[in-house]
Amino acid sequence: MYNLILTRFSYLSSKSSRLTYWRGDVNTPTKDRMRVSVPMITTTDKLLAVLMRLRLGLSVQDLADRFNISSATFSSYFTTWISLLHAELKFLNPFPSRDIIKRTMPSCFKEKYPSTRVILDYTDIYIQRSCSLVNQSLTFSNYKHHNTLKFLVGISPSGVITFTSEAWGGRVSDRTLTEDSGILDLLEPFDSVMADKGFTIGDLLEKRQCYLNIPPFRGNSNQFSTTEVFQTQEIAQLRKHVERSIGRVKNFHILEGVLPLSLAPLASKIVQVCCWLTNFDTPLVEDKC
């Protein structure tokens, strides 16, 4: 793990030396801005502290005590380094070309769904309830019975996270989230998208000459036909990888529990950084699935 941290640091070291640390915005009281001291720990320790916050979900005060700095100073480090990690990891994780998708596609996809460009699912995180009634309404999820932020996540057939949307209020539908997230603009004609039944986006894809592969609906029939049963099993077997991928992201314990409103402005960057960091893990999908 330590070697992994050093590898990340070696990539970021040249940019980290030129960082201007966040000191609060216009809404931050002047006395709190003054509490942010000059850097007192090494740059490597700053990166380590931020990664500990993401992976272990430790509190600001806990990490401040561990590194012998003030909580305001750590908050400054965290906000600044999350922005740096987000910018650099975004550059390293572009939406892959069709050629890359084909070259890395497992054989189980090549046999049945060779045009698959992305597998979609959504994930959400709990967020502290806002005092604003409007924000309460936008973020309340009837499914979760809690205020949440919702994200669209897409993976390649090989299991790499290739797309993570910005944060949306938990009230948003899967269709609206998909339509407005920007993922459709990344597709090319004759690509296909694999998703669950909740993604009623077939007509949106048809406009782009793309296709949707989802489990069949029973409709008015009493039961599925044999072909539909096998199709449901095939798609479920292949779709499970996006759930496994999201499961890896949820191993970053900062996403457990309820995210405080103080971190709401950073929610998109935090989730996207966690997603991109999982791409450094061992391959998720074997060639034979």
Side-chain angles (χ1 to χ4, degrees), residues 71-86:
S71 58
T73 297
F74 175 75
S75 294
S76 172
Y77 293 162
F78 184 77
T79 301
T80 304
W81 274 85
I82 281 293
S83 296
L84 175 62
L85 286 168
H86 182 269

Side-chain angles (χ1 to χ4, degrees), residues 54-70:
L54 294 176
R55 187 68 173 184
L56 304 178
L58 301 178
S59 68
V60 170
Q61 190 59 57
D62 186 347
L63 286 162
D65 292 342
R66 289 171 187 263
F67 288 89
N68 196 28
I69 56 178
S70 71

Side-chain angles (χ1 to χ4, degrees), residues 24 37 59 112-113 122 176 189 205 218 224 244 252:
S37 60
S59 68
K112 297 290 185 178
Y113 302 97
Y122 76 87
T176 300
L205 292 173
R218 191 178 64 181
F224 286 123
R244 293 173 59 206
F252 286 86

Side-chain angles (χ1 to χ4, degrees), residues 12-30:
L12 298 170
S13 57
S14 62
K15 298 179 176 64
S16 63
S17 62
R18 303 192 300 272
L19 283 177
T20 300
Y21 284 86
W22 183 81
R23 301 290 178 126
D25 56 24
V26 293
N27 297 315
T28 304
T30 303

Side-chain angles (χ1 to χ4, degrees), residues 87-98:
E88 295 303 316
L89 291 174
K90 183 177 182 179
F91 173 75
L92 292 175
N93 291 270
F95 191 73
S97 66
R98 181 186 287 173

